[in-house]
Amino acid sequence: MLGTKVRAATAAVDLTPRALALTGTGSPYIDVYSWGSSGFRGKYSNPATLPTGTGEGVAFSRDGSAIAVAHATSPCVSAYPWSGSGFGTKYSDPATLPAATGYGVAFSRDGSAIAVSHVSSPYVSAYPWSGSGFGTKYSNPATLPTGNGYGVAFSPDGSAIAVAHDTSPFVSAYPWSGSGFGTKYANPATLPADNAFSVAFSPDSSAIAVGYETTSPYVSAYPWSGSGFGTKYADPATLPAGSVRGVAFSPDGSAIAIAAISSPGVSAYPWSGSGFGTKYADPATLPAGNVRGVAFSPDGSAIAVAQATSPFISAYPWSGSGFGTKYADPSFAGAGSGRGVAWSTVGDPVYAQSIAVAHNNSPYVSAYPWSGSGFGTKYSDPATLPASTGNGVAFSPDGSAIAIAHGSSPNVSTYPWSGSGFGTKYADPATLPPGNGQSVAFSPDGSAIAVGHVTTPFVSAYPWSGSAFGTKYSNPATLPASTGNGVAFSPDGSAIAIAHTTTPFVSAYPWSGSGFGTKYSNPATLPASTGNGVAFSPDGSAIAIAHNNTPFISAYPWSGSGFGTKYSNPATLPASTGNDVAFSPDGSAIAIAHSSSPNVSTYPWSGSGFGTKYSNPATLPPFTGNDVSFAQIIS
């Protein structure tokens, strides 16, 4: 019987970048950012056990299961498990430590070894690596590098390891195997011209590049083979501007990038079997300060640099045309002058968080970074302030804009929002809300913005885009009865609701790309008085209104048909006027801010409605509760 030949399927490797690490001079010495298609999303929590000094080099294992930092101060290298949740518990230090400050660190491509370049003999230390961490140190190479080790790299094919160091010949390379270092390769015929700080192999292991300080041409590249160094490639026609501290090849081998301590900070060139091509144009927005580290994302779609000036990291889209427009800076700056940078394909979304407060007195809105530690340093006020009392504030769903409803014309102000804070105020809508803005909300897909206000029609809605307001949507055929105190879109964007001052106290409408649809029928049992706040549950199955008179909160099932039969009131009512209402992100709780002690009341929430009131907080809010919201922290 003839056998059937079966070809094994090769699993596709997902090279999407999901995390970006930065080492620097200040504690915590390592910062890792979540990364998405739009750039920086947020920062992972610091490791429980920090590196002990300035973070110099950083590397993720190829499978993303580990991250290592070379740093000043013993143990000179620290390694941690890495996952979508961030840092795990630090691995035990190697039994035999690097001799002094670690400057470079690298994992072998197959993840079986880790190497650290460092000050003091033997200048490079290598260890087996496994899921248990460091193994017993490999024997030192028979012929040591001649001076302090600053950079280290394994060839992608796993057959070689190279060390960049001070003192001639400035680069030393060795065969590598499961036994460790082999006999040192002959030095290149044309040596690097000065103390070397970085070394990198091309992705196909056919070339090696060395970056060095003070002496032109600052970078030297050579063919690489099983025989070692080939004849040096011609220098790039346009040289780096000064001392080179980092060098990296793109994942497909079509480009090489160089980090330097002189402007423009980063330079990139096409790369081929002929060596350097004509230098790409510098990025339109240069890195801030000298650059010491550079890395391409695993899929080649982005390039990042570690820089001397806050936020200590910059990233750019990368393509065959070179640098794209710089990504917005992260919301959380690194802790000191950037030294090293590395990408990982492992990570879960961690979103940059900000908190904004609308308030009575100038500047009428205040915004802050937010993290697990609470408030960060307040962002600068917008250059053009809202015109008066801020009554409502909202961020767009993608975090690219912020809107404030306020007490005098133009009644709403909007601004670009980024990790740097407020941008230049957007133009006012062509048709202004006709009265003081009381509330504001973006639709879930960010395509619309609605403002509740004091004067008829009591709600104004507009298309929203990166260019700000579009032409005002037609008013609803049946207007809310009075001042729009609260406004909310349903989670799927199919409905909009307005809480208002006179009966029926809440009005709801279908919502679409055409704007308002025909008003839904009023609820059979109306809220008891002035509607102050309105919210949909996260799954869109319920709607709640905070209002003036007992029971102070009314909730209803919600569907495509509108309001259902009112849920029973909570067994223990809020103590007084309900000023605002919010559901928790998972829909398991509901909270009401109200006018007298305890000033906030919370309840379990389910398909049956209100559960038994939760205990009051041990320390009560000291004054009237005007607004309430839950935060979803993704980390």
Side-chain angles (χ1 to χ4, degrees):
M1 177 174 137
L2 295 176
T4 302
K5 186 173 181 178
V6 178
R7 177 172 291 174
T10 301
V13 178
D14 184 359
L15 299 177
T16 304
R18 293 185 172 88
L20 179 56
L22 171 71
T23 51
T25 57
S27 180
Y29 308 115
I30 175 70
D31 292 289
V32 183
Y33 299 92
S34 180
W35 184 265
S37 59
S38 299
F40 295 97
R41 292 195 289 202
K43 193 176 96 69
Y44 285 96
S45 298
N46 298 330
T49 305
L50 300 181
T52 52
T54 293
E56 296 287 354
V58 60
F60 287 96
S61 61
R62 182 169 171 77
D63 67 359
S65 65
I67 181 174
V69 183
H71 53 83
T73 315
S74 183
C76 303
V77 64
S78 296
Y80 308 83
W82 180 260
S83 70
S85 301
F87 293 94
T89 302
K90 181 178 175 285
Y91 287 108
S92 298
D93 298 331
T96 305
L97 300 180
T101 296
Y103 277 93
V105 64
F107 289 93
S108 63
R109 190 179 182 89
D110 66 1
S112 66
I114 184 173
V116 184
S117 54
H118 51 81
V119 173
S120 298
S121 182
Y123 308 117
V124 63
S125 297
Y127 309 83
W129 181 263
S130 70
S132 302
F134 296 95
T136 302
K137 181 178 175 288
Y138 287 106
S139 298
N140 297 330
T143 304
L144 297 182
T146 54
N148 294 334
Y150 291 111
V152 64
F154 289 94
S155 64
D157 65 6
S159 68
I161 185 173
V163 183
H165 53 83
D166 63 12
T167 313
S168 182
F170 308 117
V171 64
S172 297
Y174 308 84
W176 180 264
S177 70
S179 303
F181 296 95
T183 302
K184 181 178 177 287
Y185 286 107
N187 296 330
T190 304
L191 298 182
D194 209 334
N195 297 338
F197 283 89
S198 57
V199 61
F201 288 92
S202 64
D204 62 1
S205 303
S206 68
I208 185 172
V210 184
Y212 45 91
E213 69 173 358
T214 66
T215 304
S216 179
Y218 310 112
V219 64
S220 295
Y222 309 84
W224 181 263
S225 70
S227 303
F229 295 95
T231 302
K232 179 178 175 286
Y233 287 107
D235 298 331
T238 305
L239 297 181
S243 179
V244 168
R245 297 303 173 95
V247 62
F249 287 92
S250 65
D252 65 0
S254 67
I256 184 172
I258 293 148
I261 63 172
S262 299
S263 184
V266 63
S267 299
Y269 306 82
W271 180 262
S272 71
S274 303
F276 295 96
T278 302
K279 181 177 176 284
Y280 287 106
D282 296 332
T285 304
L286 298 182
N290 64 58
V291 175
R292 291 175 178 265
V294 61
F296 288 93
S297 64
D299 64 356
S301 67
I303 185 172
V305 299
Q307 63 197 35
T309 303
S310 183
F312 309 116
I313 189 169
S314 291
Y316 306 84
W318 180 262
S319 70
S321 303
F323 296 95
T325 302
K326 182 176 174 287
Y327 287 106
D329 293 332
S331 291
F332 307 100
S337 181
R339 294 292 206 241
V341 64
W343 298 84
S344 178
T345 59
V346 172
D348 288 335
V350 178
Y351 294 95
Q353 298 173 79
S354 303
I355 184 169
V357 183
H359 47 81
N360 276 12
N361 296 334
S362 181
Y364 309 115
V365 63
S366 297
Y368 310 81
W370 180 263
S371 70
S373 303
F375 291 96
T377 302
K378 181 177 176 287
Y379 289 106
S380 297
D381 297 332
T384 305
L385 299 182
S388 61
T389 298
N391 294 315
V393 61
F395 288 97
S396 63
D398 66 358
S400 67
I402 184 172
I404 300 94
H406 51 80
S408 59
S409 183
N411 304 314
V412 63
S413 295
T414 57
Y415 307 83
W417 182 261
S418 72
S420 303
F422 294 95
T424 302
K425 181 177 177 287
Y426 285 114
D428 297 330
T431 305
L432 299 181
N436 296 347
Q438 299 294 107
S439 56
V440 62
F442 288 91
S443 64
D445 65 0
S447 68
I449 184 172
V451 184
H453 47 82
V454 169
T455 304
T456 187
F458 307 117
V459 64
S460 296
Y462 308 83
W464 180 263
S465 71
S467 304
F469 295 96
T471 302
K472 181 177 176 286
Y473 286 107
S474 298
N475 297 329
T478 304
L479 299 181
S482 56
T483 297
N485 294 317
V487 61
F489 288 90
S490 64
D492 64 0
S494 67
I496 184 172
I498 299 93
H500 48 82
T501 302
T502 56
T503 189
F505 309 116
V506 64
S507 296
Y509 308 83
W511 180 264
S512 70
S514 303
F516 295 95
T518 302
K519 181 176 176 287
Y520 287 106
S521 298
N522 297 330
T525 304
L526 298 182
S529 184
T530 295
N532 293 315
V534 61
F536 288 91
S537 65
D539 64 0
S541 67
I543 185 173
I545 299 93
H547 50 80
N548 274 15
N549 291 346
T550 188
F552 308 117
I553 181 71
S554 296
Y556 307 83
W558 180 264
S559 70
S561 303
F563 295 94
T565 302
K566 182 176 176 287
Y567 287 107
S568 298
N569 297 329
T572 304
L573 299 181
S576 57
T577 295
N579 293 315
D580 194 36
V581 59
F583 288 90
S584 65
D586 65 0
S588 68
I590 185 171
I592 299 93
H594 48 82
S595 292
S596 59
S597 184
N599 303 314
V600 64
S601 296
T602 57
Y603 306 84
W605 180 263
S606 70
S608 303
F610 296 93
T612 302
K613 181 178 177 288
Y614 286 110
S615 299
N616 296 330
T619 304
L620 298 181
F623 301 110
T624 294
N626 290 321
D627 200 8
V628 64
S629 66
F630 289 87
Q632 183 171 17
I633 309 297
I634 304 174
S635 61

